[in-house]
Amino acid sequence: MGVTIYEVAREAGVSPSTVSNLLNGRSGRMLPETRARVEAAIRRLGYRPNRAARQLRSGRVQVIGLVVPSVANPFWGAFARHVEGAALTEGYHVLLCNSERDPERERGYVEELWDDGVTGVILCTSLPSLTHVLPLVKRGLKLVTFDRTAQAGDPAGLTNISVDNVVGAQLATEHLLSLGHRRLAFVSGALGSVNRKERFQGFRAALDSAGLGIDDAVVFSDGDGDRFGDLDAAGLGRTAAHEVLSGPDRPTGIVAINDMCALGVYAGIRDAGLTVGTDVSVVGFDDIVLADLVDPALTTVRQPLADMAATAFDNLRSRMESPSTGPGHSLLIRPELVTRASTAPPA
């Protein structure tokens, strides 16, 4: 147990209220000698104020919650770091939770944060429905979602921030088509989440624009469930590559749902005795730090992560510090195609 203000008061020979006045900035009428004795006692005993108690008294908690799918994916680890950097600049701290895209875990974490006095949360979720957290929003929780666009049934006043997944997947697919690939594959986990549906939509739109149909492509998705999840996107990619490359009319280009999945596709291509970038071209999505380090370097769709994290925090902070929530809105941020060695014309 830590040192209390009662122990500081005994050490300094003053009343607990005198210590409390000093800690809370009410020392204007305090004698300089008294102030010096209390400060010396604080230093000697190593006393640290109970931040939670002070926040409860002031009615303001300088902490936000951040719920991500899993920092095992470097994309989410980097996003969390950028959010924390933006928050610290404004004097806020961040409590980080990993949900594994499980609505019950999302609900549980958001409830715990609310019960601990945290009134603002950035919820990184692609679930189509937010009914699991709606009761807390109705009670006053300030919520910004990241990685999803506005959906029917969203609570009034909600802010959604996302990269334009449709455009991003179109850029990836059009790049392969421009190189001459005509037999493409799309590799994803279950297509129930908002961002995966949108990326698949972009893939189909690019095929349609090129005069190709979805029947001309190979689509690997993880059915209605999600056997792999965020923790094993690489495992998903490897399994998918084994499957889509085993047929007689194998694809020459693969669009992966994200970079970790694409790295798994790399492994599956090598398992099949083929070469990435020569026999099969691969495009990812996110531009995680590993994308430029693997061999061959991964062509991918870059999300401007630092800007998106700062935007998410700024929107949440303004809602927490404003007396009224105001209307909600959605921010769609345009991605950028980064061309590297994993894509080339078909052999």
Side-chain angles (χ1 to χ4, degrees), residues 244-306:
V244 303
L245 297 174
S246 62
D249 190 15
R250 71 175 186 233
T252 60
I254 297 177
V255 177
I257 196 67
N258 60 34
D259 286 351
M260 288 302 294
C261 178
L263 298 185
V265 169
Y266 270 38
I269 291 171
R270 290 174 178 138
D271 293 342
L274 302 172
T275 303
V276 177
T278 301
D279 300 307
V280 185
S281 289
V282 181
V283 185
F285 203 115
D286 288 340
D287 197 26
I288 62 175
V289 66
L290 298 175
D292 195 33
L293 301 177
V294 293
D295 184 23
L298 177 64
T299 294
T300 187
V301 176
R302 174 181 292 160
Q303 300 199 48
L305 204 53

Side-chain angles (χ1 to χ4, degrees), residues 67 99-112 121 123-139 141 143 145 148 153-155 158 194:
V67 183
S99 71
E100 309 300 346
R101 297 192 186 276
D102 179 350
E104 280 304 301
R105 286 183 69 165
E106 288 183 357
R107 180 191 59 77
Y109 279 133
V110 173
E111 284 183 352
E112 287 183 27
V121 173
L123 178 61
C124 302
T125 182
S126 290
L127 295 174
S129 172
L130 295 176
T131 54
H132 54 302
V133 295
L134 190 55
L136 288 172
V137 175
K138 290 180 177 178
R139 290 169 61 187
L141 175 74
L143 187 68
T145 70
R148 79 190 288 275
D154 280 355
L158 178 69
V194 174

Side-chain angles (χ1 to χ4, degrees), residues 147-213:
D147 202 30
R148 79 190 288 275
T149 50
Q151 304 293 304
D154 280 355
L158 178 69
T159 296
N160 298 281
I161 298 171
S162 174
V163 74
D164 194 326
N165 288 297
V166 176
V167 167
Q170 280 182 295
L171 291 172
T173 310
E174 288 169 355
H175 171 63
L176 291 174
L177 293 169
S178 72
L179 291 173
H181 296 275
R182 289 298 177 268
R183 180 68 169 164
L184 301 182
F186 181 84
V187 173
S188 172
L191 293 175
S193 65
V194 174
N195 63 350
R196 292 175 185 172
K197 284 180 178 177
E198 291 174 344
R199 292 178 193 183
F200 184 55
Q201 180 184 341
F203 176 74
R204 293 190 65 163
L207 291 180
D208 290 342
S209 296
L212 300 172

